[in-house]
Amino acid sequence: MSDLASSDRRAFLTATAAAETTAADAPVPGGTPPVPPAPGGAPARPADGTEAAPHADRELRELLEEVDPGRIEDTVRRLAAFGARHTLSSQTDPEHGIGAARDWVHARMKECARVSGGRMSVRLQSWIQEPDSLVPTPTRITNVLTTLRGTSAPNRVYVVSGHYDSRACGAAAADGDGPRADDDASGVAVVMELARVLAARRTAATVVLAAVAGEAHGLYGASHLAGELKAAGMDVQGVFAVDAVGGGAAGEDGARAPRAVRLYAQGAPAGGKDDSPSCRLARSVRDAAGDTAEVDVRVVHGDDRDRWAGDHVPFLERGWPAVRFAEPGGDARRPCDVDHTARVARVTAAALWTLAQAPGAPAGVQVRTDELGASAELRWRRGTESGLAGYEVVWRGAAEPEWTHVVQAGDTVQHTVGLSGDDVFFGVRAVGRNGLRSPVALPARPR
């Protein structure tokens, strides 16, 4: 990596505008009281993340118990009360428009960061968007970025985003109210609740919690964030766009589905549609959801619904694993179901915590079969993270949708399996000293 990229990485991880120092001490706009520390705090983690598995499990349970539906509801109601959160609406009115929503989210996030001991920073990422078909004049767009710097793997990044902009009946209808409690005050509420429950904790990897803008006009906020991460040379290993997750009480056919959530995961472009990086990330989410026993995660192999595109797409375009949470129905105009939103928040928190505390996915995985096809030798590069314990090799039959076998390979960079590579798919995953596992990495396909 060039010196410029290294400098950009440091800049991203430490970026906090000097002008925000005073704002951090100001009252929260809209009269909302300050956010207190997470109930009971959390035990500090050593820098190398070496707790035993039971300790990690206890921390996860405590984190999930702290997710507060009441706070999520308050956030959704407050965002809806700003009326027009349209990208082209007022940026200076203190009570109405996207500027008021931006300032409120920013102040709330600063309140969350106060209990982090300096690990969590909050900044406004602003730029001038040049005119296009939906933006008639140069327009300032601003993301609110909350970054929890990783303790032992700060360059490995996980992103959770929701978009705080909304629109009424048309992309150019800047003056009309668009409360959009579901789309996407619900997603922003999840992002803000994650900031609150994570602020007093330590994660091995870096977590970026983003309230982005400009979604309705072309995914501008997410694109700008993805571009900055790419320029900084960050190792983005998972992105979760949380968009319209408050309508879980009913599906498109009217049937009740209060515990279902769709997870859109782009499949591989040719063959093995469930083996893309995003699908492997989705498997990790589904595994984490099993710990919460609250949500039926329905993985859909595709970018999004037909004619739709979410804030995960700019990350996909840059080659990173990215998925989108969405309610099972398709009408984001219905009232927000706070209980469902809280369940999605817990599943997102479980997946994020597990991945951020586990080692990163193995790199450089290759497989070589002998001439008779009776065995397969897998090789990979050893990771450098201090909390790494070793690796597992997994495989499944060519017709199986899930991994069916696992073997402990140990702290090594190669393992031989007495199976034909023609009959099975192989993968490798890293295991931490805390017992947590990375997503599976597949061998590079021979050309």
Side-chain angles (χ1 to χ4, degrees):
M1 191 64 62
S2 68
D3 291 340
L4 177 61
S6 298
S7 175
D8 287 345
R9 284 200 301 274
R10 289 193 297 272
F12 179 85
L13 290 169
T14 59
T16 304
E20 293 180 354
T21 302
T22 302
D25 299 323
V28 178
T32 304
V35 179
R45 298 177 61 87
D48 65 353
T50 56
E51 287 90 343
H55 192 172
D57 290 344
R58 178 174 62 81
E59 281 194 287
L60 176 56
R61 290 195 300 271
E62 289 177 350
L63 185 153
L64 298 180
E65 289 171 359
E66 289 171 19
V67 172
D68 186 345
R71 289 187 179 276
I72 289 174
E73 181 175 10
D74 289 345
T75 298
V76 171
R77 288 184 180 277
R78 188 67 189 94
L79 286 170
F82 289 115
R85 302 195 312 275
H86 194 284
T87 300
L88 306 180
S89 64
S90 173
Q91 299 206 21
T92 57
D93 188 318
E95 291 295 333
H96 191 268
I98 195 165
R102 172 201 63 214
D103 293 345
W104 182 81
V105 172
H106 179 232
R108 286 282 302 226
M109 290 300 211
K110 295 290 277 188
E111 291 288 349
C112 293
R114 285 180 179 174
V115 302
S116 71
R119 294 183 302 277
M120 180 177 280
S121 63
V122 185
R123 66 186 174 102
L124 299 175
Q125 181 190 47
S126 297
W127 69 98
I128 300 300
Q129 178 61 46
E130 294 302 319
D132 70 3
S133 59
L134 298 178
V135 180
T137 59
T139 300
R140 179 174 294 278
I141 298 178
T142 302
N143 295 331
V144 184
L145 302 183
T146 302
T147 302
L148 182 63
R149 183 183 174 112
T151 57
S152 60
N155 291 337
R156 177 161 55 95
V157 176
Y158 299 92
V159 179
V160 183
S161 76
H163 66 89
Y164 72 93
D165 65 309
S166 69
R167 70 187 199 193
C169 52
D175 297 329
D177 276 0
R180 294 295 179 130
D182 186 24
D183 184 13
D184 183 34
S186 65
V188 176
V190 169
V191 170
M192 294 177 69
E193 186 66 0
L194 292 182
R196 187 183 71 83
V197 301
L198 288 173
R201 293 177 162 86
R202 298 173 185 267
T203 55
T206 292
V207 172
V208 177
L209 303 168
V212 301
E215 188 268 353
H217 284 71
L219 311 179
Y220 286 132
S223 294
H224 196 85
L225 172 57
E228 181 181 279
L229 288 165
K230 192 74 171 182
M234 305 304 289
D235 179 18
V236 179
Q237 292 204 5
V239 178
F240 306 96
V242 188
D243 191 351
V245 294
E252 289 178 328
D253 59 358
R256 291 186 59 80
R259 297 186 180 275
V261 64
R262 286 176 178 166
L263 187 63
Y264 289 93
Q266 183 185 58
K273 67 177 183 179
D274 57 352
D275 276 327
S276 71
S278 294
C279 288
R280 299 198 294 275
L281 178 64
R283 281 196 182 97
S284 294
V285 174
R286 196 169 53 197
D287 290 344
D291 293 333
T292 69
E294 287 192 321
V295 175
D296 172 20
V297 178
R298 301 177 179 177
V299 177
V300 181
H301 295 142
D303 294 356
D304 211 319
R305 290 169 287 177
D306 289 342
R307 305 182 304 280
W308 289 71
D311 282 322
H312 59 308
V313 171
F315 297 91
L316 287 173
E317 292 172 343
R318 288 162 174 81
W320 291 322
V323 295
R324 177 196 169 181
F325 285 105
E327 60 204 16
D331 186 358
R333 297 169 296 180
R334 57 173 163 260
C336 184
D337 182 334
V338 175
D339 289 336
H340 184 266
T341 305
R343 283 191 284 269
V344 174
R346 292 189 186 99
V347 168
T348 309
L352 181 65
W353 176 262
T354 301
L355 290 167
Q357 299 294 58
V365 181
Q366 297 179 337
V367 62
R368 183 178 65 185
T369 58
D370 62 24
E371 294 181 358
L372 298 177
S375 65
E377 181 186 69
L378 288 101
R379 292 183 175 269
W380 57 89
R381 294 197 298 272
R382 191 187 187 282
T384 59
E385 297 179 26
S386 57
L388 177 65
Y391 296 89
E392 294 176 342
V393 172
V394 298
W395 67 87
R396 68 178 193 265
E400 296 290 336
E402 303 288 345
W403 303 112
T404 56
H405 294 76
V406 58
V407 62
Q408 306 294 324
D411 189 1
T412 182
V413 294
Q414 69 87 27
H415 186 83
T416 299
V417 180
L419 293 170
S420 169
D422 295 333
D423 299 328
V424 299
F425 292 133
F426 294 106
V428 182
R429 64 189 178 201
V431 183
R433 296 177 194 167
N434 54 13
L436 299 178
R437 291 161 172 78
S438 76
V440 172
L442 299 186
R445 293 181 181 273
R447 295 182 178 231

Tab-separated table of all heavy atoms in Angstrom, residues 221-254:
chain	number	residue	atom	x	y	z
A	221	GLY	N	-25.152	9.703	-0.805
A	221	GLY	CA	-24.450	9.625	0.469
A	221	GLY	C	-23.634	8.359	0.597
A	221	GLY	O	-22.458	8.383	0.991
A	222	ALA	N	-24.247	7.232	0.279
A	222	ALA	CA	-23.535	5.958	0.358
A	222	ALA	C	-22.377	5.921	-0.627
A	222	ALA	O	-21.294	5.388	-0.314
A	222	ALA	CB	-24.500	4.808	0.101
A	223	SER	N	-22.571	6.466	-1.812
A	223	SER	CA	-21.501	6.481	-2.812
A	223	SER	C	-20.312	7.297	-2.329
A	223	SER	O	-19.153	6.904	-2.513
A	223	SER	CB	-22.020	7.048	-4.136
A	223	SER	OG	-22.997	6.194	-4.699
A	224	HIS	N	-20.601	8.426	-1.696
A	224	HIS	CA	-19.504	9.273	-1.217
A	224	HIS	C	-18.734	8.577	-0.094
A	224	HIS	O	-17.500	8.600	-0.062
A	224	HIS	CB	-20.061	10.613	-0.733
A	224	HIS	CG	-19.019	11.669	-0.588
A	224	HIS	ND1	-18.606	12.447	-1.639
A	224	HIS	CD2	-18.284	12.068	0.488
A	224	HIS	CE1	-17.667	13.291	-1.232
A	224	HIS	NE2	-17.453	13.074	0.058
A	225	LEU	N	-19.456	7.948	0.825
A	225	LEU	CA	-18.801	7.221	1.904
A	225	LEU	C	-17.969	6.070	1.364
A	225	LEU	O	-16.808	5.875	1.763
A	225	LEU	CB	-19.842	6.703	2.895
A	225	LEU	CG	-19.331	5.762	3.990
A	225	LEU	CD1	-18.226	6.416	4.807
A	225	LEU	CD2	-20.492	5.309	4.876
A	226	ALA	N	-18.528	5.302	0.442
A	226	ALA	CA	-17.790	4.173	-0.136
A	226	ALA	C	-16.539	4.655	-0.850
A	226	ALA	O	-15.475	4.030	-0.763
A	226	ALA	CB	-18.692	3.391	-1.089
A	227	GLY	N	-16.646	5.781	-1.555
A	227	GLY	CA	-15.488	6.324	-2.256
A	227	GLY	C	-14.388	6.741	-1.304
A	227	GLY	O	-13.201	6.515	-1.568
A	228	GLU	N	-14.768	7.336	-0.170
A	228	GLU	CA	-13.750	7.743	0.803
A	228	GLU	C	-13.064	6.528	1.415
A	228	GLU	O	-11.841	6.512	1.588
A	228	GLU	CB	-14.386	8.593	1.902
A	228	GLU	CG	-13.381	9.077	2.934
A	228	GLU	CD	-14.007	9.902	4.032
A	228	GLU	OE1	-14.241	11.104	3.795
A	228	GLU	OE2	-14.258	9.347	5.120
A	229	LEU	N	-13.831	5.499	1.750
A	229	LEU	CA	-13.241	4.285	2.308
A	229	LEU	C	-12.299	3.627	1.307
A	229	LEU	O	-11.237	3.125	1.673
A	229	LEU	CB	-14.338	3.318	2.736
A	229	LEU	CG	-15.135	3.713	3.981
A	229	LEU	CD1	-16.411	2.882	4.084
A	229	LEU	CD2	-14.299	3.544	5.234
A	230	LYS	N	-12.696	3.623	0.040
A	230	LYS	CA	-11.853	3.018	-0.991
A	230	LYS	C	-10.553	3.800	-1.144
A	230	LYS	O	-9.466	3.214	-1.215
A	230	LYS	CB	-12.610	2.996	-2.326
A	230	LYS	CG	-11.946	2.144	-3.399
A	230	LYS	CD	-12.128	0.663	-3.097
A	230	LYS	CE	-11.676	-0.209	-4.247
A	230	LYS	NZ	-11.877	-1.643	-3.988
A	231	ALA	N	-10.654	5.129	-1.185
A	231	ALA	CA	-9.463	5.954	-1.335
A	231	ALA	C	-8.520	5.799	-0.151
A	231	ALA	O	-7.295	5.900	-0.298
A	231	ALA	CB	-9.863	7.417	-1.501
A	232	ALA	N	-9.081	5.538	1.031
A	232	ALA	CA	-8.273	5.374	2.237
A	232	ALA	C	-7.648	3.993	2.337
A	232	ALA	O	-6.855	3.732	3.248
A	232	ALA	CB	-9.125	5.651	3.473
A	233	GLY	N	-8.003	3.094	1.427
A	233	GLY	CA	-7.433	1.750	1.440
A	233	GLY	C	-7.925	0.891	2.580
A	233	GLY	O	-7.237	-0.040	3.004
A	234	MET	N	-9.138	1.162	3.074
A	234	MET	CA	-9.672	0.387	4.177
A	234	MET	C	-10.112	-0.999	3.700
A	234	MET	O	-10.559	-1.173	2.564
A	234	MET	CB	-10.858	1.105	4.825
A	234	MET	CG	-10.552	2.528	5.291
A	234	MET	SD	-9.161	2.637	6.432
A	234	MET	CE	-9.879	1.878	7.884
A	235	ASP	N	-9.995	-1.981	4.578
A	235	ASP	CA	-10.374	-3.359	4.282
A	235	ASP	C	-11.827	-3.556	4.735
A	235	ASP	O	-12.090	-4.008	5.845
A	235	ASP	CB	-9.444	-4.317	5.014
A	235	ASP	CG	-9.793	-5.786	4.774
A	235	ASP	OD1	-10.516	-6.076	3.807
A	235	ASP	OD2	-9.340	-6.634	5.569
A	236	VAL	N	-12.762	-3.212	3.873
A	236	VAL	CA	-14.181	-3.307	4.216
A	236	VAL	C	-14.634	-4.752	4.014
A	236	VAL	O	-14.690	-5.248	2.894
A	236	VAL	CB	-15.027	-2.350	3.356
A	236	VAL	CG1	-16.506	-2.469	3.715
A	236	VAL	CG2	-14.559	-0.906	3.561
A	237	GLN	N	-14.978	-5.432	5.108
A	237	GLN	CA	-15.340	-6.853	5.026
A	237	GLN	C	-16.829	-7.095	5.240
A	237	GLN	O	-17.267	-8.252	5.195
A	237	GLN	CB	-14.514	-7.662	6.027
A	237	GLN	CG	-13.037	-7.717	5.666
A	237	GLN	CD	-12.323	-8.920	6.259
A	237	GLN	OE1	-12.915	-9.797	6.883
A	237	GLN	NE2	-11.028	-8.969	6.058
A	238	GLY	N	-17.620	-6.049	5.428
A	238	GLY	CA	-19.051	-6.253	5.549
A	238	GLY	C	-19.791	-4.938	5.637
A	238	GLY	O	-19.364	-4.027	6.357
A	239	VAL	N	-20.877	-4.818	4.869
A	239	VAL	CA	-21.712	-3.619	4.869
A	239	VAL	C	-23.159	-4.043	5.036
A	239	VAL	O	-23.635	-4.952	4.342
A	239	VAL	CB	-21.554	-2.813	3.562
A	239	VAL	CG1	-22.473	-1.597	3.556
A	239	VAL	CG2	-20.099	-2.385	3.362
A	240	PHE	N	-23.873	-3.372	5.962
A	240	PHE	CA	-25.274	-3.660	6.214
A	240	PHE	C	-26.077	-2.383	5.995
A	240	PHE	O	-25.957	-1.433	6.778
A	240	PHE	CB	-25.492	-4.148	7.649
A	240	PHE	CG	-24.637	-5.316	8.030
A	240	PHE	CD1	-23.444	-5.126	8.709
A	240	PHE	CD2	-25.017	-6.609	7.701
A	240	PHE	CE1	-22.638	-6.201	9.057
A	240	PHE	CE2	-24.215	-7.692	8.051
A	240	PHE	CZ	-23.029	-7.489	8.729
A	241	ALA	N	-26.868	-2.338	4.929
A	241	ALA	CA	-27.794	-1.226	4.723
A	241	ALA	C	-29.117	-1.605	5.379
A	241	ALA	O	-29.708	-2.642	5.045
A	241	ALA	CB	-27.985	-0.947	3.239
A	242	VAL	N	-29.575	-0.780	6.314
A	242	VAL	CA	-30.819	-1.048	7.035
A	242	VAL	C	-31.844	-0.048	6.516
A	242	VAL	O	-31.817	1.132	6.874
A	242	VAL	CB	-30.618	-0.908	8.557
A	242	VAL	CG1	-31.854	-1.375	9.299
A	242	VAL	CG2	-29.401	-1.699	9.011
A	243	ASP	N	-32.741	-0.506	5.672
A	243	ASP	CA	-33.603	0.415	4.922
A	243	ASP	C	-35.030	-0.110	4.889
A	243	ASP	O	-35.311	-1.130	4.267
A	243	ASP	CB	-33.058	0.559	3.497
A	243	ASP	CG	-33.711	1.690	2.731
A	243	ASP	OD1	-34.700	2.271	3.227
A	243	ASP	OD2	-33.237	2.002	1.627
A	244	ALA	N	-35.916	0.594	5.569
A	244	ALA	CA	-37.333	0.232	5.648
A	244	ALA	C	-37.510	-1.108	6.362
A	244	ALA	O	-37.842	-2.130	5.760
A	244	ALA	CB	-37.983	0.194	4.262
A	245	VAL	N	-37.275	-1.099	7.674
A	245	VAL	CA	-37.368	-2.319	8.474
A	245	VAL	C	-38.450	-2.204	9.545
A	245	VAL	O	-38.483	-2.992	10.486
A	245	VAL	CB	-36.014	-2.648	9.137
A	245	VAL	CG1	-34.982	-2.988	8.078
A	245	VAL	CG2	-35.525	-1.504	10.023
A	246	GLY	N	-39.342	-1.236	9.402
A	246	GLY	CA	-40.379	-1.039	10.414
A	246	GLY	C	-41.737	-1.577	10.040
A	246	GLY	O	-42.702	-1.394	10.771
A	247	GLY	N	-41.846	-2.270	8.906
A	247	GLY	CA	-43.160	-2.726	8.459
A	247	GLY	C	-43.330	-4.219	8.540
A	247	GLY	O	-43.963	-4.821	7.671
A	248	GLY	N	-42.783	-4.848	9.570
A	248	GLY	CA	-42.778	-6.297	9.628
A	248	GLY	C	-44.073	-6.946	10.024
A	248	GLY	O	-44.188	-8.173	10.034
A	249	ALA	N	-45.094	-6.177	10.361
A	249	ALA	CA	-46.329	-6.789	10.834
A	249	ALA	C	-47.118	-7.450	9.718
A	249	ALA	O	-47.962	-8.303	9.970
A	249	ALA	CB	-47.205	-5.746	11.515
A	250	ALA	N	-46.876	-7.060	8.477
A	250	ALA	CA	-47.638	-7.644	7.370
A	250	ALA	C	-46.765	-7.767	6.141
A	250	ALA	O	-45.934	-6.906	5.863
A	250	ALA	CB	-48.861	-6.784	7.045
A	251	GLY	N	-46.956	-8.859	5.407
A	251	GLY	CA	-46.236	-9.057	4.166
A	251	GLY	C	-46.994	-8.450	3.001
A	251	GLY	O	-48.062	-7.851	3.156
A	252	GLU	N	-46.444	-8.624	1.797
A	252	GLU	CA	-47.079	-8.040	0.622
A	252	GLU	C	-48.469	-8.594	0.381
A	252	GLU	O	-49.337	-7.912	-0.166
A	252	GLU	CB	-46.201	-8.289	-0.604
A	252	GLU	CG	-44.924	-7.468	-0.600
A	252	GLU	CD	-44.054	-7.757	-1.799
A	252	GLU	OE1	-44.080	-8.908	-2.276
A	252	GLU	OE2	-43.350	-6.853	-2.262
A	253	ASP	N	-48.711	-9.846	0.793
A	253	ASP	CA	-50.015	-10.448	0.573
A	253	ASP	C	-50.965	-10.202	1.736
A	253	ASP	O	-52.061	-10.767	1.780
A	253	ASP	CB	-49.861	-11.962	0.335
A	253	ASP	CG	-49.186	-12.661	1.518
A	253	ASP	OD1	-48.820	-11.975	2.486
A	253	ASP	OD2	-49.035	-13.897	1.448
A	254	GLY	N	-50.560	-9.369	2.695
A	254	GLY	CA	-51.410	-9.072	3.840
A	254	GLY	C	-51.236	-10.024	4.999
A	254	GLY	O	-51.748	-9.774	6.087
